[in-house]
Amino acid sequence: MPKVRKAVIPAAGLGTRFLPATKALAKEMLPIVDKPTIQFIVEEALKSGIEDILVVTGKSKRSIEDHFDSNFELEYNLKEKGKHDLLKLVDETTGIGLHFIRQSHPRGLGDAVLQAKAFVGNEPFVVMLGDDLMEDKTPLTKQLIEDYDKTHASTIAVMKVPHEEVSSYGVIAPQGRGLNGLYSVENFVEKPKPEEAPSDLAIIGRYLLTPEIFDILDKQAPGAGNEIQLTDAIDTLNKTQRVFAREFTGKRFDVGDKFGYMKTSIEYGLNHPQIKDNLKQYIIDLGKKLDKTHKEK
Ligand code: G1P
C-alpha cells in the first residue's frame, strides 16, 4: 500500500469575511499573534510526516509564496545586527517542499482540489483547510494517516457542532461505529438546513482521500452555493469504496470568521512566551472594568 506523502492546501478563497484586510493580502497570511495561519497548517503537515505540499492559490496570494521563500535582504540584515533568534524564526519557513498552483476561477473547494490531480498522481493524499487550526497530542492529519495505514480507505475528520450551525458545514449521516472508533457513513451532505441535517457531525477541514476522488471531481456538477463541492464528490466516492469518518476529540480553532479569529488570537496569545503574562493581566483588568460598567447599567 502506498504511503501518504502529499498534502493539498486550498488557499484560493477570496477572504471576503475579512475585507478590507484581504483586498491585497491573502487571508491565509493573517497572523495569529506573530505567525500566519497557513504556517500552522504547514507545520501540522510536517509533524504528520508529509513530505510534499501543494498550495492552490489564486489572486492576491503572492505573499504566501514569498513567506515560504528565502528573503536574502532580511536575513543579511538580521545577521549583521546579531539578531539570531529572529533569524531562526525566519529560517523556519524556508526550504520546505512547497509547490504552488493557481486556480484561475474560484469555482469551489472541489475544483480547487481538482487542480492537484497531476501533483498527487495515483497516491492517497490529505487535504488541509486553512480555516481550521487543530490541536491534539497527535496532530489530526497524523491520526488520519494512521487510520489509512490500517484501513487503506479515505477518512474524513468530523466534530460535533451546535445543531443551529450545521448549515455552515458538510455533515455526515453516520451508520455506526466500528474499526478503530471510525464511523461508517451513509451519506455526506454539504450545508444542509438544520431541519434536514442527518446529524450534528460536521466535516472540519482535514481529509484523507484516495486518488479515485479526482475522476469523480472531473465530472462533478455544481452543488450548494452553485460551487463544485468536495463533499458531493466524497459522497459519490463512498458509493464505490468505503469512506470513514474520524471524530476529532482535540481542540479546534475556527479562524475563518472574525469572532473565531479573535478568540484564537487571544488563546494563542495566552500561550505565547513573550506576551502571555501581560495579556493575561490585561484581560483580568478588562474583565473587571466591563463587569463594573455592566453593573452600573
Ligand atoms: C468547507 C467545506 C465544508 C466543511 C468546511 C469546514 O466549507 O465545503 O464541507 O464543513 O469547509 O470548515 P466552507 O467553510 O469553505 O464554506
Side-chain angles (χ1 to χ4, degrees), residues 237-275:
L237 184 67
N238 189 36
K239 307 274 187 275
T240 53
Q241 50 176 252
R242 297 168 306 165
V243 179
F244 293 110
R246 157 159 298 284
E247 189 171 353
F248 181 52
T249 51
K251 206 158 174 199
R252 166 176 175 249
F253 295 91
D254 179 2
V255 295
D257 70 52
K258 290 187 191 97
F259 186 45
Y261 178 77
M262 285 306 300
K263 285 196 283 189
T264 311
S265 299
I266 292 169
E267 294 212 28
Y268 277 60
L270 287 169
N271 277 317
H272 191 290
Q274 274 166 3
I275 62 165

Side-chain angles (χ1 to χ4, degrees), residues 17 27 109 129 131-132 166 168-171 189-191 202-207 227 229-231 252 254:
R17 281 187 260 190
K27 79 167 174 185
L109 179 59
L129 304 189
D131 283 349
D132 294 300
V166 289
S168 305
Y169 296 93
V171 174
V189 195
E190 180 68 7
K191 309 221 163 75
I203 297 173
I204 48 158
R206 298 293 183 275
Y207 309 73
E227 295 191 338
Q229 295 292 354
L230 182 59
T231 304
R252 166 176 175 249
D254 179 2

Side-chain angles (χ1 to χ4, degrees), residues 44-116:
E44 181 187 327
L46 298 178
K47 276 188 222 150
S48 303
I50 293 293
E51 295 162 14
D52 259 328
I53 302 172
L54 179 74
V55 184
V56 183
T57 66
K59 280 201 176 50
S60 308
K61 304 285 183 173
R62 283 297 294 275
S63 51
I64 302 179
E65 290 180 50
D66 288 343
H67 181 68
F68 291 103
D69 197 356
S70 57
N71 181 336
F72 178 75
E73 220 176 297
L74 176 66
E75 285 156 32
Y76 181 79
N77 202 287
L78 293 174
K79 222 176 270 168
E80 283 285 285
K81 293 192 171 132
K83 299 196 168 165
H84 298 291
D85 46 345
L86 291 181
L87 193 62
K88 195 167 158 269
L89 288 180
V90 169
D91 260 357
E92 275 171 12
T93 58
T94 46
I96 299 167
L98 274 191
H99 311 263
F100 296 88
I101 191 167
R102 269 173 93 109
Q103 182 192 28
S104 38
H105 301 287
R107 293 167 57 209
L109 179 59
D111 187 55
V113 172
L114 183 57
Q115 309 303 312

